Amino acid sequence: MENKCSKCKHFEVYYVKLYTRFEKINYGFCRRSGICETVKCSEVCDKFVVKKQGRTSKKLIKNCLNDLLNEISELRKVVEAERNESEELR
C-alpha cells in the first residue's frame, strides 16, 4: 500500500459546492505537525499516519437528526408567533 495523502489522518479533502450538492475534488488540506498546506490526494508523504476508518452508528445519526428536527420545529413556532402578532396589529 502506498502512503497516499488521501489515506492519511492529517489530510482533509476539499469539497466544491455545486448547485444541489457538494463534491470532493482531488486536493485537500494537510495539517501535519504545524505545517498547513494544500496537497493533491495522490501525493506521497514521509509523515504518513494511517487514517482510522470510523463507523458512525445509526443510533447516533438518528439522535442527531431528531435534535435537528426539534430545533427546526421550535424555530417554526417562533416564526409563526411573530407572523400572528404582526397580523393582529393590522
Side-chain angles (χ1 to χ4, degrees), residues 67-80:
D67 291 344
L68 287 171
L69 287 172
N70 287 335
E71 289 180 30
I72 290 170
S73 296
E74 293 301 316
L75 288 171
R76 181 180 182 172
K77 289 176 187 176
V78 170
V79 170
E80 287 176 347

Side-chain angles (χ1 to χ4, degrees), residues 41-53:
C41 292
S42 59
E43 287 186 33
V44 178
C45 177
D46 58 341
K47 305 277 189 209
F48 178 83
V49 179
V50 176
K51 182 187 307 184
K52 292 182 183 177
Q53 297 296 326

Side-chain angles (χ1 to χ4, degrees), residues 21-71:
R21 62 188 166 88
F22 288 90
E23 187 171 306
K24 290 182 185 180
I25 61 172
N26 289 327
Y27 290 89
F29 197 66
C30 179
R31 296 185 183 269
R32 69 177 185 269
S33 61
I35 299 173
C36 297
E37 60 185 338
T38 300
V39 294
K40 195 168 184 176
C41 292
S42 59
E43 287 186 33
V44 178
C45 177
D46 58 341
K47 305 277 189 209
F48 178 83
V49 179
V50 176
K51 182 187 307 184
K52 292 182 183 177
Q53 297 296 326
R55 289 187 173 201
T56 307
S57 72
K58 289 182 181 180
K59 186 175 182 177
L60 179 63
I61 293 171
K62 286 178 184 179
N63 287 340
C64 289
L65 286 174
N66 188 43
D67 291 344
L68 287 171
L69 287 172
N70 287 335
E71 289 180 30

